[in-house]
Amino acid sequence: MSEADAIASSTQPATVATLRRDLEALGVEQGMTLMVHSSLSRLGFVAGGAHAVVLALLESVGPNGTVMMPTHSAHLSEPSSWTNPPVPEAWWSTLRTDVPAYDPVLTPTRGMGAIVECFRHVPGVQRSAHPCVSAAALGPDAAFLVGEHPLDHALGESSPQARLYELDGHVLLLGVDHGNNTSLHLAEYRAVPPGGHPTIDYASMIRAADGTSQWVRYAAIPEDEDDFSDLGEAFASTGDETQGAVGAGIGHLMRARDVVDFGTTWLLQHRHGS
């Protein structure tokens, strides 16, 4: 959505104050631990843009709350696996040798949106160490959520999403649906039946202890978001998800445990026939 489209979709600009009122009406509370997935353009015209949304989120949970967002950087993956878009094979060697290694401070996100890019620059934000599927968090629970993020199966039981589940935190979708809900990858891992999906190797660039860049390989199950929107619609019908206006868009708020538990059962039934 262009800025002109955002203006056309809005009866008036959203502000920090109006966004905070919308979030509170949705159920966001002081002290909450909140995983946020977002699209700025879907919220209509926001005075101050992503900066205003970040301020509204932080004010809504307050100093005793924690906000976390996915800060994925897929451009640090093996270039021969790129499909959206693919790059010429003649480029692979250059990309493998010259792409800067993952740096939690400097590495930009890819495909995460303007709100995430703004949030990761807030002073005090901590970002996890995974070079492709990191998360960033700010607040009292930040270190627990993102302090340890091993390479293997990084969206499964070792993930920030699993730590959010453990804390009984919440998931907030701002202007996006469950197709963007990374907590459903945790459900994917939990829904793999014994002898199910084999793990496959991925590769990414990290900085070694001596400061040099190096490629590392790590294992994961094949992750697939294609049916997450359908899963999300089924979950919403349970009544365990609150929906409401946020700016000119729609917000969805739910407990992480509710959506992951439902998603695990749904995926077992619809993907694996269990």
Side-chain angles (χ1 to χ4, degrees):
M1 182 184 293
S2 68
E3 189 168 24
D5 291 332
I7 293 170
S9 71
S10 307
T11 57
Q12 61 183 4
T15 66
V16 174
T18 65
L19 289 169
R20 180 171 175 178
R21 287 198 296 270
D22 290 344
L23 291 168
E24 290 174 351
L26 187 65
V28 177
E29 299 177 349
Q30 296 282 298
M32 190 173 274
T33 297
L34 197 62
M35 177 67 156
V36 182
H37 304 79
S38 58
S39 168
L40 177 62
S41 65
R42 296 293 179 87
L43 304 183
F45 189 86
V46 179
H51 186 186
V53 180
V54 170
L55 290 178
L57 286 165
L58 295 176
E59 290 179 10
S60 293
V61 302
N64 294 321
T66 301
V67 173
M68 179 165 67
M69 298 189 190
T71 49
H72 298 186
S73 44
H75 59 285
L76 296 186
S77 60
E78 162 56 41
S80 64
S81 67
W82 294 0
T83 58
N84 190 28
V87 293
E89 185 174 352
W91 296 8
W92 294 354
S93 177
T94 299
L95 291 167
R96 287 169 179 153
T97 57
D98 293 343
V99 169
Y102 175 69
D103 184 311
V105 175
L106 291 179
T107 299
T109 61
R110 185 176 189 276
M112 297 288 103
I115 294 170
V116 173
E117 270 299 291
C118 181
F119 174 72
R120 75 178 186 86
H121 289 91
V122 176
V125 162
Q126 301 179 49
R127 189 176 183 186
S128 70
H130 201 279
C132 280
V133 291
S134 65
L138 179 66
D141 290 330
F144 178 77
L145 289 165
V146 303
E148 295 185 13
H149 197 177
L151 284 169
D152 288 332
H153 305 291
L155 290 174
E157 299 300 340
S158 64
S159 67
Q161 289 80 358
R163 302 290 77 75
L164 181 74
Y165 182 100
E166 187 174 343
L167 289 175
D168 197 17
H170 286 73
V171 174
L172 173 64
L173 307 176
L174 281 181
V176 297
D177 68 15
H178 286 271
N180 296 86
N181 184 355
T182 59
S183 284
L184 293 180
H185 288 298
L186 176 59
E188 269 191 314
Y189 271 88
R190 293 182 175 181
V192 174
H197 289 312
T199 59
I200 57 177
D201 282 342
Y202 293 86
S204 189
M205 180 77 82
I206 64 169
R207 189 177 306 281
D210 62 2
T212 61
S213 298
Q214 68 178 49
W215 282 91
V216 292
R217 302 196 72 83
Y218 60 93
I221 65 169
E223 292 140 3
D224 181 8
E225 303 91 1
D226 286 351
D227 53 3
F228 281 6
S229 293
D230 292 338
L231 189 167
E233 288 184 10
F235 174 71
S237 70
T238 67
D240 288 332
E241 173 183 305
T242 303
Q243 298 183 15
V246 179
I250 300 296
H252 308 252
L253 181 68
M254 69 220 71
R255 291 173 65 239
R257 289 182 180 176
D258 287 343
V259 71
V260 171
D261 290 347
F262 179 90
T264 301
T265 300
W266 191 94
L267 290 169
L268 279 167
Q269 293 173 345
H270 290 79
R271 285 192 186 177
H272 307 295
S274 300

XYZ file of all heavy atoms in Angstrom, residues 118-152:
254
model
N 12.249 0.048 12.811
C 12.312 1.127 13.797
C 12.554 0.560 15.188
O 13.433 1.039 15.925
C 11.019 1.936 13.750
S 10.976 3.318 14.916
N 11.814 -0.474 15.547
C 11.912 -1.043 16.890
C 13.309 -1.526 17.216
O 13.797 -1.323 18.339
C 10.915 -2.193 17.025
C 11.014 -2.949 18.331
C 10.585 -2.372 19.518
C 11.544 -4.234 18.367
C 10.679 -3.064 20.716
C 11.634 -4.925 19.555
C 11.199 -4.338 20.738
N 13.992 -2.151 16.264
C 15.300 -2.727 16.590
C 16.350 -1.660 16.891
O 17.426 -1.976 17.400
C 15.762 -3.683 15.491
C 16.258 -3.047 14.223
C 16.741 -4.094 13.224
N 17.354 -3.461 12.054
C 18.613 -3.098 11.988
N 19.427 -3.327 12.999
N 19.089 -2.527 10.892
N 16.048 -0.375 16.595
C 16.972 0.710 16.904
C 16.680 1.380 18.246
O 17.403 2.302 18.646
C 16.926 1.768 15.803
C 17.540 1.316 14.518
N 16.823 0.707 13.517
C 18.823 1.381 14.070
C 17.624 0.416 12.509
N 18.843 0.800 12.822
N 15.622 0.972 18.937
C 15.313 1.577 20.230
C 16.448 1.246 21.207
O 16.856 0.089 21.316
C 13.970 1.050 20.778
C 13.710 1.620 22.174
C 12.834 1.420 19.837
N 16.979 2.236 21.924
C 18.040 1.950 22.894
C 17.617 0.880 23.892
O 16.507 0.915 24.431
C 18.254 3.309 23.593
C 17.833 4.319 22.575
C 16.680 3.683 21.836
N 18.510 -0.079 24.105
C 18.248 -1.143 25.056
C 17.667 -2.403 24.459
O 17.589 -3.423 25.145
N 17.266 -2.374 23.182
C 16.726 -3.571 22.538
C 17.812 -4.646 22.462
O 18.963 -4.361 22.123
C 16.184 -3.250 21.138
C 16.031 -4.525 20.303
C 14.835 -2.540 21.233
N 17.447 -5.872 22.785
C 18.345 -7.015 22.645
C 17.883 -7.866 21.466
O 16.693 -8.097 21.305
C 18.343 -7.858 23.923
C 18.770 -7.102 25.160
C 18.718 -7.971 26.401
O 19.226 -9.097 26.412
N 18.109 -7.456 27.468
N 18.827 -8.318 20.659
C 18.505 -9.126 19.484
C 19.201 -10.466 19.590
O 20.375 -10.543 19.971
C 18.940 -8.400 18.214
C 18.465 -9.050 16.913
C 18.874 -8.198 15.738
N 18.385 -8.735 14.462
C 18.720 -8.230 13.275
N 19.520 -7.169 13.200
N 18.242 -8.779 12.159
N 18.502 -11.528 19.243
C 19.071 -12.865 19.388
C 20.162 -13.120 18.356
O 20.328 -12.381 17.386
C 17.979 -13.931 19.300
O 17.463 -14.036 17.988
N 20.905 -14.195 18.571
C 22.121 -14.457 17.811
C 21.902 -15.212 16.509
O 22.855 -15.413 15.758
C 23.110 -15.229 18.683
N 20.669 -15.640 16.213
C 20.491 -16.444 15.011
C 20.626 -15.579 13.765
O 19.990 -14.532 13.657
C 19.141 -17.152 15.003
C 19.136 -18.326 14.083
N 18.952 -18.212 12.718
C 19.354 -19.647 14.322
C 19.037 -19.400 12.166
N 19.283 -20.294 13.123
N 21.438 -15.990 12.782
C 21.717 -15.130 11.625
C 20.565 -14.989 10.648
O 20.583 -14.076 9.818
C 22.911 -15.814 10.959
C 22.798 -17.251 11.370
C 22.245 -17.227 12.755
N 19.563 -15.860 10.701
C 18.461 -15.778 9.737
C 17.102 -15.526 10.375
O 16.280 -14.834 9.796
C 18.381 -17.054 8.893
S 19.576 -17.101 7.558
N 16.833 -16.086 11.553
C 15.492 -15.982 12.137
C 15.574 -15.418 13.555
O 14.966 -15.933 14.494
C 14.741 -17.330 12.112
C 14.387 -17.712 10.691
C 15.542 -18.438 12.791
N 16.295 -14.328 13.709
C 16.448 -13.695 15.010
C 15.156 -13.029 15.453
O 14.216 -12.830 14.676
C 17.568 -12.657 14.968
O 17.228 -11.591 14.084
N 15.121 -12.671 16.732
C 14.054 -11.844 17.286
C 14.710 -10.788 18.161
O 15.813 -10.976 18.687
C 13.077 -12.683 18.107
N 14.017 -9.653 18.320
C 14.510 -8.568 19.158
C 13.471 -8.257 20.212
O 12.264 -8.344 19.964
C 14.805 -7.333 18.318
N 13.924 -7.883 21.403
C 13.004 -7.640 22.508
C 13.513 -6.517 23.391
O 14.717 -6.272 23.501
C 12.818 -8.915 23.337
N 12.557 -5.846 24.047
C 12.868 -4.771 24.985
C 11.944 -4.905 26.184
O 10.729 -4.985 26.026
C 12.661 -3.408 24.320
C 12.937 -2.181 25.194
C 14.421 -2.099 25.544
C 12.494 -0.894 24.487
N 12.541 -4.940 27.375
C 11.756 -5.025 28.588
C 12.346 -6.045 29.545
O 13.368 -6.682 29.248
N 11.728 -6.225 30.702
C 12.287 -7.113 31.730
C 12.482 -8.558 31.280
O 13.360 -9.254 31.805
C 11.252 -7.027 32.859
C 10.569 -5.719 32.658
C 10.532 -5.505 31.174
N 11.666 -9.046 30.349
C 11.777 -10.438 29.898
C 12.676 -10.608 28.679
O 12.810 -11.716 28.152
C 10.389 -11.004 29.565
C 9.520 -11.213 30.787
O 10.080 -11.483 31.866
O 8.289 -11.085 30.663
N 13.301 -9.514 28.220
C 14.039 -9.570 26.955
C 15.161 -10.598 26.976
O 15.315 -11.389 26.038
C 14.588 -8.185 26.610
N 15.962 -10.593 28.027
C 17.104 -11.514 28.069
C 16.638 -12.964 28.053
O 17.252 -13.818 27.402
C 17.964 -11.232 29.290
N 15.572 -13.260 28.778
C 15.051 -14.626 28.779
C 14.547 -15.024 27.394
O 14.763 -16.156 26.945
C 13.916 -14.749 29.796
C 13.277 -16.110 29.835
C 13.899 -17.170 30.461
C 12.057 -16.339 29.209
C 13.321 -18.427 30.481
C 11.467 -17.592 29.215
C 12.101 -18.641 29.862
N 13.893 -14.102 26.704
C 13.304 -14.399 25.401
C 14.358 -14.597 24.320
O 14.236 -15.501 23.486
C 12.355 -13.277 24.992
C 11.044 -13.165 25.778
C 10.385 -11.826 25.521
C 10.088 -14.298 25.404
N 15.372 -13.748 24.279
C 16.288 -13.753 23.127
C 17.743 -13.984 23.506
O 18.607 -14.001 22.636
C 16.171 -12.426 22.331
C 14.748 -12.189 21.883
C 16.694 -11.225 23.129
N 18.028 -14.199 24.786
C 19.419 -14.318 25.213
C 20.130 -15.538 24.674
O 21.338 -15.509 24.449
N 19.396 -16.633 24.465
C 19.976 -17.849 23.890
C 19.120 -18.289 22.720
O 17.915 -18.499 22.869
C 20.048 -18.964 24.936
C 20.988 -18.672 26.087
C 21.120 -19.849 27.052
O 20.673 -20.954 26.678
O 21.664 -19.655 28.146
N 19.745 -18.411 21.552
C 18.996 -18.791 20.348
C 19.912 -19.648 19.478
O 20.542 -19.166 18.529
C 18.543 -17.529 19.595
C 17.464 -17.791 18.597
N 16.881 -16.785 17.853
C 16.850 -18.947 18.206
C 15.964 -17.299 17.060
N 15.940 -18.621 17.247
N 20.007 -20.941 19.778
C 20.919 -21.825 19.043
C 20.581 -21.904 17.563
O 19.449 -21.634 17.141
C 20.721 -23.181 19.726
C 20.167 -22.853 21.074
C 19.333 -21.633 20.875
N 21.551 -22.328 16.776
C 21.368 -22.400 15.326
C 20.346 -23.451 14.925
O 19.471 -23.193 14.097
C 22.709 -22.716 14.656
C 23.711 -21.569 14.549
C 25.079 -22.110 14.116
C 23.236 -20.527 13.561
N 20.445 -24.650 15.486
C 19.587 -25.750 15.035
C 18.137 -25.572 15.504
O 17.880 -25.162 16.638
C 20.121 -27.086 15.542
C 21.398 -27.516 14.828
O 21.577 -27.123 13.662
O 22.208 -28.224 15.454
